[in-house]
Amino acid sequence: MAGNFPRPRGRAGKAAVLATALLPALAAAACASGSGSVQADDGTIVIGMDQDTSGGAAAYAGIVGKTIKDAVAEVNDKGGIGGKKLKLIVKSDDNDATKAPTVVRQLLSQGAQAIIMNSGGQSVLQVQALLKQQKVPAIAPVNITPGIGDGPNSAYTYSLANPTEDFGKVYAEAFTKAGYKRLALFKDDSASIAGMEKALMTPIKEAGIQVVATETAPVDTSDVTAQVTRIKQAKPDAMLVAALGGQMEVLVHNTTHQLIPDADRFSLASIGNQPDLWKQAKPGALDKLVFVGSITQENEKTAALAKFLSGKRGGAVSVTAYDAQAYDAIGMLAKAIEQAGSKPDGEAINTGLEKVSGYPSSFGQKGYTLSFKPGKHSGTDGLCGLILMQFENSQPGRQWPVYQPACG
């Protein structure tokens, strides 16, 4: 089955016992993840991660965070970088962009020399000025919000996933190839989706495709019957769902399957990269759904990542684009730290990131690479970081036969 690997059937449990008499230093050390007993000193390099744990981005941030920790542990297991171990410190902004600067300041105060932004795209944009002021780089592995890696304020922020504009270009060509003329848009009310809507929809509209209905629902909604009914009345040729995933998107597909069973549906990346959600869909609700994927077994780096994660987690693993982008973020950051020399600080690491080029990607089509350089902080080296995948039997199945983006 193209683009999908078996999932583990169990989840390892864990227990933690905290004593109230612990010394403050030991309590602080407990914030480190994926780095064993490494302490913050001259022999370590501190990486901070802002991870949404309870907001609208939590559904995918948890996947990213787990692989970030595994990738950091792998670096440390191999001896670190230049003899220095990585120490990962994690805090959450709860997908609230107004909290992001405070969280990043807390990470910087604990010695972070680089940041992983694992929250909503608006959180990344909110901290760009702070990162530039402090001269500390941040990588957003999965965010596709415009301006993170290619905007005027991106001097210290980097992105790996293809940006929203690329999604729009691919769907514009796909819808044209399929002969769709009338499109319905269903979106959630998150700040992240609002921030990317223009970049997503502009190429589609410029291709001559008419948007005949636009409906919105809260990310925590429990009923979308009214919105789907209005879409049905608009009689679109196809329906595009722009959402962060989570239970809200499953609800949209369940309701649409019930009320408009013959509707051709398309989605962004989220639903295809959140395996725990698939079982929440009603029988047949996801079948034939096409989403923007980035995973294929034809990419040797993807297969290698599956093998690594399976060994790390003690069972077969379903590799998602979020896993691959998280893993590559640490890989490219490690390359940058090597470039930074024996005393890597934020500014030196930023300069090092701008020298990482032609990095073999763990996602995308075979041979796909990632590159940074001054003025280009969006890692994508072309549209073939994207693959249109189709659900079959309630899980990603084959590549969509109607259209695939070309490399080059």
Side-chain angles (χ1 to χ4, degrees), residues 32 48 76 242:
N76 289 338

Side-chain angles (χ1 to χ4, degrees), residues 149-373:
D150 56 3
N153 300 313
S154 60
Y156 281 80
T157 55
Y158 297 78
S159 62
L160 265 64
N162 286 75
T164 312
E165 183 181 4
D166 286 357
F167 282 54
K169 291 177 181 178
V170 167
Y171 268 144
E173 294 180 7
F175 293 158
T176 299
K177 182 73 177 291
Y180 299 132
K181 298 293 185 181
R182 295 167 56 84
L183 180 71
L185 173 66
F186 198 118
K187 57 182 180 175
D188 70 31
D189 68 348
S190 68
S192 294
I193 294 299
M196 67 179 70
E197 181 179 355
K198 181 178 180 181
L200 173 66
M201 297 306 296
T202 295
I204 294 172
K205 293 176 180 178
E206 289 178 346
I209 297 165
Q210 180 184 5
V211 179
V212 297
T214 300
E215 295 292 336
T216 306
V219 294
D220 59 352
T221 189
S222 60
D223 186 7
V224 294
T225 302
Q227 293 95 326
V228 174
T229 298
R230 288 192 289 269
I231 286 176
K232 180 178 181 178
Q233 293 169 347
K235 298 180 179 179
D237 298 328
M239 174 178 168
L240 174 60
V241 180
L244 296 178
Q247 294 182 351
M248 177 269 184
E249 184 166 0
V250 175
L251 176 63
V252 171
H253 294 300
N254 282 340
T255 306
T256 304
H257 179 64
Q258 178 182 2
L259 298 180
I260 326 176
D262 296 329
D264 290 340
R265 279 173 286 133
F266 298 83
S267 184
L268 302 184
S270 296
I271 188 68
N273 290 303
Q274 297 174 17
D276 289 343
L277 295 177
W278 305 340
K279 61 181 177 291
Q280 299 179 24
K282 295 180 180 179
L286 295 181
D287 290 356
K288 298 184 180 180
L289 170 66
V290 176
F291 69 95
V292 182
S294 297
I295 295 298
T296 172
Q297 294 183 37
E298 296 175 3
N299 185 335
E300 295 90 345
K301 294 290 291 183
T302 306
L305 175 59
K307 183 177 180 180
F308 164 70
L309 292 179
S310 295
K312 191 72 177 176
R313 300 174 186 178
V317 171
S318 175
V319 174
T320 71
Y322 296 150
D323 292 300
Q325 289 155 359
Y327 185 76
D328 287 347
I330 295 301
M332 297 181 82
L333 184 58
K335 290 286 186 183
I337 294 172
E338 290 175 359
Q339 295 272 1
S342 59
K343 294 184 178 181
D345 59 15
E347 188 171 12
I349 294 172
N350 190 64
T351 300
L353 279 169
E354 293 183 330
K355 296 178 181 178
V356 179
S357 180
Y359 185 89
S361 175
S362 299
F363 64 96
Q365 299 179 35
K366 182 178 181 178
Y368 181 64
T369 61
L370 300 164
S371 298
F372 297 136
K373 63 181 179 180

Side-chain angles (χ1 to χ4, degrees), residues 29-103:
C31 295
S33 301
S35 53
S37 60
V38 175
Q39 302 296 314
D41 55 34
D42 289 342
T44 68
I45 299 167
V46 179
I47 307 299
M49 180 162 65
D50 177 2
Q51 175 175 325
D52 175 23
T53 58
S54 63
Y60 65 76
I63 298 171
V64 174
K66 187 174 182 179
T67 300
I68 289 289
K69 293 174 184 178
D70 286 341
V72 167
E74 181 186 36
V75 171
N76 289 338
D77 290 344
K78 293 180 177 180
I81 304 170
K84 297 178 183 289
K85 297 294 184 74
L86 299 182
K87 178 182 179 181
L88 181 65
I89 300 174
V90 183
K91 294 186 177 297
S92 176
D93 69 5
D94 302 316
N95 197 32
D96 184 343
T98 64
K99 295 181 181 178
T102 298
V103 169

Side-chain angles (χ1 to χ4, degrees), residues 94-119:
D94 302 316
N95 197 32
D96 184 343
T98 64
K99 295 181 181 178
T102 298
V103 169
V104 170
R105 286 191 185 96
Q106 291 172 345
L107 295 170
L108 294 175
S109 72
Q110 295 185 48
Q113 293 140 299
I115 304 290
I116 301 296
M117 290 300 296
N118 184 19
S119 186

